[in-house]
Amino acid sequence: MSIAHQKRISILGATGSIGQSTLDLIGRNRNKFKVVALTAHSKVEELAAAAIAFSAELAVIGDEARLDELTRRLEGTGVEAAAGETALIEAAQRPADIVMAAIVGAAGLKPTLAAVRCGTTIALANKECLVCAGDLMTKEVQACGATLLPVDSEHNAIYQVFDFEQSKAVDRLILTASGGPFLGRAKNSLAGVTPAQAVAHPNWDMGAKISVDSATMMNKGLEVIEAYHLFPVDKDKIDVLVHPQSVIHSMVEYQDGSVLAQLGSPDMRTPIAYSLAWPERMEAPVQKLSLAEIGSLTFEEPDYEAFRCLALAKEALFAGGAAPAILNAANEVAVEAFLGGQVGFLDIGALVEETLAKCDMKAPQSLTNVFEIDGEARRMATSLLPAFRK
Ligand code: NAD
Ligand code: MG
């Protein structure tokens, strides 16, 4: 492929699990991609190494205190160094054919939205942006002619089998869930589980926050909200089905009874490769699916009592307004406190529930409102933390 046909790509959150898998694929297909900008929050060494290895134009570190170190590491390499929120936004706006949005949490909202406003193609891993500002984001996508390609494996699966021209014929989206490391456990047995146990996901290797979200099943709840914003279906048409093998990544049921699914080994490089190559396809170094070896696939209903977070997220979707943003912010505070050993596992759901009950805010009309809601919910959740402290 000639240089003129190389896809220009930027990665927001290049040092994370999704960011690194994206770079792994680019590394195997160097002739197809030109890396434009790479960003990270605090891992300067990894960011500089990737920027040099991939001859990026620009490397941005979120934490401004680390700019000197980044500049020093990039001296003489030809890679520009920058830091801070404005620089993150500039990185997202650098002309590119595709922007991988892989920052974790609401922190990814501003840069992702900046890329959307450039009308480019966004490979969206950062689900929290759609949870806290889904309506605003999708409006901007429409207005700016941007394309959102879902990287989250469930949504990527649905995207591959969803007939957008016949969306009225869709009866149901069925989001599959592995159930996480605590599948089958009763609620009262979960009080003492540790962060190390919670991040040890049976099927997927992911960042710490999403791993805890998978253990509480908040991840599936966030994904129900994400699905609502990505696909033209009613809120009550999105179901969750526990499927511990994570082979069927999700399904779409049509009115004639046909159920279409996408299957594959649980490796994020498949949905990432789909997004990078779209509308074509490319090779991904993933284990090919051997159904004969797997033997059987199993399914069960989720346990909404043990995994209260899943129920709370669904309630937040139906409540609408500020509820999803409050849910997301409280969850981010709670997960950080759990990972820091300050609160127990079941306190995550309890803290989110109490924050939702106490933060009564109007539906966001603007991005500024979203950040007000996010900030207020974080303050509320933080102020409630001492009551939960271990
Ligand atoms: P991670 O924690 O491994 O990486 C997060 C990245 O975001 C890092 O590069 C970090 O430097 C950057 N970052 C963190 N806080 C930031 C801030 N305040 N400002 C700027 N940058 C910041 O996370 P991950 O597992 O790669 O997940 C990234 C996103 O993708 C999340 O929204 C997650 O829900 C979603 N996702 C991940 C997976 C997976 O397999 N890891 C699957 C589906 C969806
Ligand atoms: Mg997922």
Side-chain angles (χ1 to χ4, degrees):
M1 192 176 270
S2 72
I3 291 193
H5 290 101
Q6 281 186 321
K7 274 193 183 177
R8 289 171 55 85
I9 177 164
S10 291
I11 306 175
L12 312 175
T15 54
S17 162
I18 295 288
Q20 291 290 301
S21 293
T22 307
L23 286 171
D24 175 69
L25 287 168
I26 295 173
R28 293 164 193 268
N29 294 275
R30 292 221 179 217
N31 59 335
K32 294 198 175 110
F33 298 97
K34 165 79 190 95
V35 173
V36 180
L38 297 179
T39 83
H41 182 54
S42 55
K43 290 188 176 166
V44 187
E45 197 176 338
E46 285 92 331
L47 175 64
I52 294 166
F54 288 88
S55 310
E57 291 174 14
L58 169 69
V60 174
I61 192 84
D63 180 359
E64 289 180 77
R66 298 178 197 240
L67 178 59
D68 284 351
E69 189 186 343
L70 183 64
T71 309
R72 190 163 36 77
R73 286 182 183 274
L74 293 177
E75 217 174 280
T77 64
V79 185
E80 251 177 87
E85 192 178 270
T86 315
L88 281 175
I89 290 170
E90 279 167 15
Q93 291 169 330
R94 280 269 165 125
D97 298 302
I98 178 158
V99 175
M100 168 60 74
I103 291 175
V104 59
L109 179 54
K110 276 188 195 166
T112 304
L113 204 54
V116 165
R117 287 178 174 151
C118 295
T120 188
T121 298
I122 324 287
L124 186 76
N126 180 206
K127 66 191 84 182
E128 294 91 346
C129 344
L130 280 180
V131 172
C132 53
D135 289 338
L136 293 169
M137 282 264 297
T138 48
K139 253 189 225 152
E140 292 285 324
V141 167
Q142 288 283 323
C144 305
T147 303
L148 277 191
L149 298 175
V151 170
D152 212 348
S153 58
E154 297 75 5
H155 307 74
N156 186 269
I158 293 171
Y159 191 83
Q160 294 195 40
V161 296
F162 194 96
D163 188 342
F164 285 89
E165 274 160 28
Q166 299 205 59
S167 59
K168 294 260 175 316
V170 171
D171 266 0
R172 224 161 35 118
L173 302 185
I174 304 162
L175 290 180
T176 50
S178 68
F182 306 133
L183 176 63
R185 302 254 308 243
K187 183 170 186 175
N188 60 16
S189 79
L190 293 175
V193 301
T194 64
Q197 291 169 322
V199 299
H201 196 281
N203 305 346
W204 301 95
D205 182 12
M206 309 180 285
K209 192 262 179 181
I210 182 177
S211 297
V212 175
D213 284 348
S214 298
T216 60
M217 290 193 76
M218 176 61 93
N219 182 51
K220 208 50 53 182
L222 300 178
E223 289 183 357
V224 170
I225 302 174
E226 180 186 12
Y228 170 70
H229 291 295
L230 286 170
F231 303 104
V233 296
D234 294 338
K235 292 175 182 176
D236 59 355
K237 288 188 170 179
I238 308 170
D239 282 355
V240 173
L241 178 67
V242 173
H243 165 43
Q245 297 80 19
S246 299
V247 166
I248 297 181
H249 296 309
S250 277
M251 302 178 247
V252 177
E253 182 179 271
Y254 290 88
Q255 61 187 176
D256 62 4
S258 299
V259 178
L260 269 56
Q262 183 260 2
L263 286 70
S265 296
D267 187 325
M268 285 308 292
R269 288 176 300 181
T270 294
I272 295 171
Y274 178 90
S275 311
L276 296 187
W278 183 88
E280 295 169 9
R281 295 225 180 221
M282 65 190 253
E283 285 261 348
V286 302
Q287 195 173 7
K288 289 285 192 288
L289 186 62
S290 169
L291 288 172
E293 234 167 73
I294 294 166
S296 60
L297 301 179
T298 59
F299 306 94
E300 57 192 270
E301 291 298 336
D303 177 348
Y304 287 95
E305 203 199 308
F307 300 99
R308 178 85 186 116
C309 287
L310 175 57
L312 289 172
K314 281 189 152 190
E315 284 165 28
L317 172 65
F318 280 95
I326 296 170
L327 170 101
N328 180 67
N331 182 57
E332 288 192 31
V333 171
V335 170
E336 204 183 315
F338 170 69
L339 285 170
Q342 296 164 36
V343 301
F345 183 74
L346 293 176
D347 296 332
I348 297 173
L351 186 68
V352 171
E353 187 159 12
E354 203 164 325
T355 308
L356 275 163
K358 294 216 157 110
C359 268
D360 181 21
M361 298 189 71
K362 287 202 193 81
Q365 305 297 327
S366 67
L367 196 60
T368 310
N369 290 160
V370 172
F371 286 108
E372 284 163 2
I373 294 165
D374 178 78
E376 178 56 30
R378 276 169 208 271
R379 276 189 293 279
M380 178 62 80
T382 307
S383 76
L384 294 169
L385 265 182
F388 290 93
R389 250 181 243 288
K390 286 205 270 188

